[in-house]
Amino acid sequence: MKKNYGIFLSYAPNVDLRSEGLGRYLASFMKGAISRNEVQFTIVCPSWSKSGLYALFESENVPLDKFVIQSPDSKPLILSIYEKYISYKKNRRNKYRVLSNAKEYLRHLTDRYLNRVESYLISAVSLRDIIPILFEVAIIGILLIGLAPVFIALLMFVALLIKISSVVKGTLLKFFIKYLIRMSSIISSPKNDGLVISLYNKLEAAESKRMLNLVDSLSDISAWYCPTAFWPEFNKIHAPRLLCVPDVVLTEFPVGFCNVGGERFLQTFRKIESTIRDGDHFVTYSNKVKWDTLVERYKVNPAHISVIHHAPNTLDRTISPDGKSLQCEEVNLQARSDFMNALKKSNKTRYISGFSNDEVKFIFYASQTRPNKNMLSLFKAYNYLLRERFLSCKLIVTGSQSEISEIATFIKEQELELDVLFLHGLSVPELAACYHLAELAVNPSLSEGGCPFTFTEALSVNTPVVMARIPVTEEILTDPELQEMTFFDPYDWRDMAKRIEWALHHKDILLRKQLQIYDQLSMRTWSDVVNEHIDILERISCLEK
């Protein structure tokens, strides 16, 4: 008989798990469970997340027979209305695009015809030569004049219908549409608006109540696991619970997060503290989070905290599913194709849309834009290397420059728009292609819950890495020679620039040393990670019987 464990997720409606680090962690976790035939996981999530979870697992090639996804039966009405509203807006944009294309096509035909008429007139040597074209123009003119009343009447009829429609909307639906637009901000981005945040919290609370009723009905689940501390509702489950606390980075950078999150930041911070305060059993990715955050700050009993390090996150099978060499021409061609798709999908500028150099050299940093990610220091280091050291590489990052105003301002003031490229919403193959084609991967983050995935993701596709010297990286990468070659002071952009420049000039030496450590780290698998979690879940389920 299979042992059943539960996983509790409560992401917001607008979250695409494929672009979330925790989503990719969850996918790796589920793949690691393949070897445990006697265990099955049941994932309970909001009604709006079910399809997104399937999309995540499909993109990460997670076998669907190792888990069951359960959620409340139907989405909240306001969310369904909002999705129809967004679909309507998208269709309207498509219609306008079709009309615009039609107008452009007609203009093009007109220009071509006028050029034809001009060519006849210019090349004519006698009156007889221009009679055919004049006759043709006359016939077309007569037809257009004859059909003009029909077109005018049709246009007037359409305009009347539009006017009637707008009046009806204005008199009967005006208030509702305005309210719906306001509600759309709840779904898309609950920012620093007290009413919006309040409404969003009510939506979330109602869905959480339905989820908890569903959880209560699943009596065969021995214990529950929650992969993050954002959801205090998890502690309302009346069964053994294991809470993962990846980090509480909000406590380390309160000013930075407050500037980008405002009231939303405070709400999130309160939720995390509430979740930790009411938790029973905990797991973290590093000893630093265990001792500095949970024990020292939140006074959690260390006996109730387990540390489970990540297994390597690898991308080589994504680049080469059939096991071909990463240096194979076929593999490189596919990677370059995926890379160009990522560029053109993520950037709307004329420069990028016309970009065709798939052999461009670049440095790569895969991360969301958050205050702890230290992107501004990276941009300062890159700007110095570009202007003073004549670096011939672009910098590609996966975050958004609009989320932190200082970043957007720096990019504009230093005229880096054509050198620093922001890619959004990368698929796994596109992410793997960027890592594979990069000259160097970099991670300047000031704080993480565990050793960043950057190290193993880059090395799995034979790309060397330089990283910030922070406790969680030193905890895993302990070799002194490796640390000297790989780490830089994240609070000193000049030291960062120096390490990047050295790495670019000594890629072979750096890669050879790092691959030795990568091979050692690869001895640990995601099956080991899952097994260690299952051992804890089994232990706490026995304790509470």
Side-chain angles (χ1 to χ4, degrees), residues 395-410:
L395 174 62
I396 295 180
V397 296
T398 61
S400 170
Q401 64 173 313
S402 62
E403 292 196 22
I404 298 180
S405 59
E406 289 178 322
I407 288 177
T409 300
F410 183 83

Side-chain angles (χ1 to χ4, degrees), residues 440-545:
L440 181 72
V442 60
N443 190 317
S445 180
L446 298 169
S447 177
E448 296 289 338
C451 187
F453 286 149
T454 305
F455 189 79
T456 53
E457 286 177 335
L459 289 168
S460 70
V461 291
N462 288 341
T463 298
V465 189
V466 291
M467 302 173 68
R469 183 186 290 272
I470 54 179
V472 293
T473 54
E474 291 180 304
E475 188 174 318
I476 301 299
L477 308 176
T478 58
D479 180 84
E481 183 183 2
L482 174 73
Q483 290 186 350
E484 181 65 27
M485 298 169 72
T486 303
F487 293 158
F488 52 78
D489 181 355
Y491 295 95
D492 183 351
W493 65 261
R494 291 184 181 277
D495 189 52
M496 190 187 308
K498 179 180 177 183
R499 182 53 40 201
I500 291 172
E501 186 175 28
W502 180 90
L504 288 171
H505 288 302
H506 300 84
K507 284 177 55 180
D508 291 342
I509 296 173
L510 179 61
L511 181 61
R512 188 161 51 249
K513 178 63 179 177
Q514 290 180 337
L515 284 175
Q516 294 174 5
I517 307 300
Y518 171 77
D519 289 340
Q520 295 175 22
L521 294 177
S522 296
M523 300 295 290
R524 179 172 174 78
T525 68
W526 282 98
S527 293
D528 296 325
V529 174
V530 172
N531 289 337
E532 290 169 22
H533 279 84
I534 290 174
D535 288 344
I536 300 170
L537 290 167
E538 178 64 21
R539 175 168 53 82
I540 65 175
S541 66
C542 292
L543 285 174
E544 299 192 23
K545 279 184 179 179

Side-chain angles (χ1 to χ4, degrees), residues 248-262:
V248 189
V249 69
L250 302 176
T251 63
E252 298 182 53
F253 304 91
V255 175
F257 276 97
C258 199
N259 286 338
V260 300

Side-chain angles (χ1 to χ4, degrees), residues 198-327:
S198 174
L199 291 171
Y200 177 80
N201 287 340
K202 289 176 182 177
L203 174 70
E204 189 180 51
E207 189 70 4
S208 295
K209 185 175 181 181
R210 297 204 298 160
M211 289 171 60
L212 290 171
N213 288 337
L214 177 58
V215 167
D216 287 341
S217 70
L218 302 173
S219 57
D220 62 326
I221 294 180
S222 301
W224 286 87
Y225 171 63
C226 184
T228 185
F230 290 134
W231 308 313
E233 296 81 7
F234 175 67
N235 288 323
K236 296 179 182 178
I237 294 176
H238 303 297
R241 302 181 307 273
L242 177 63
L243 174 67
C244 180
V245 183
D247 57 44
V248 189
V249 69
L250 302 176
T251 63
E252 298 182 53
F253 304 91
V255 175
F257 276 97
C258 199
N259 286 338
V260 300
E263 180 63 25
R264 188 170 38 141
F265 156 78
L266 293 175
Q267 292 267 4
T268 302
F269 183 61
R270 292 189 191 108
K271 284 183 177 181
I272 291 173
E273 295 212 309
S274 172
T275 309
I276 294 173
R277 184 171 56 249
D278 296 334
D280 294 322
H281 305 280
F282 301 86
V283 63
T284 72
Y285 305 151
S286 68
N287 284 299
K288 180 185 186 301
V289 174
K290 173 179 178 175
W291 294 103
D292 293 359
T293 302
L294 292 179
V295 176
E296 187 68 26
R297 182 178 181 87
Y298 292 105
K299 312 305 178 187
V300 177
N301 184 342
H304 293 172
I305 309 169
S306 302
V307 176
I308 300 180
H309 293 120
H310 292 314
N313 226 38
T314 60
L315 295 168
D316 50 325
R317 287 297 179 182
T318 303
I319 286 286
S320 179
D322 52 5
K324 291 181 180 178
S325 168
L326 296 177
Q327 278 68 49

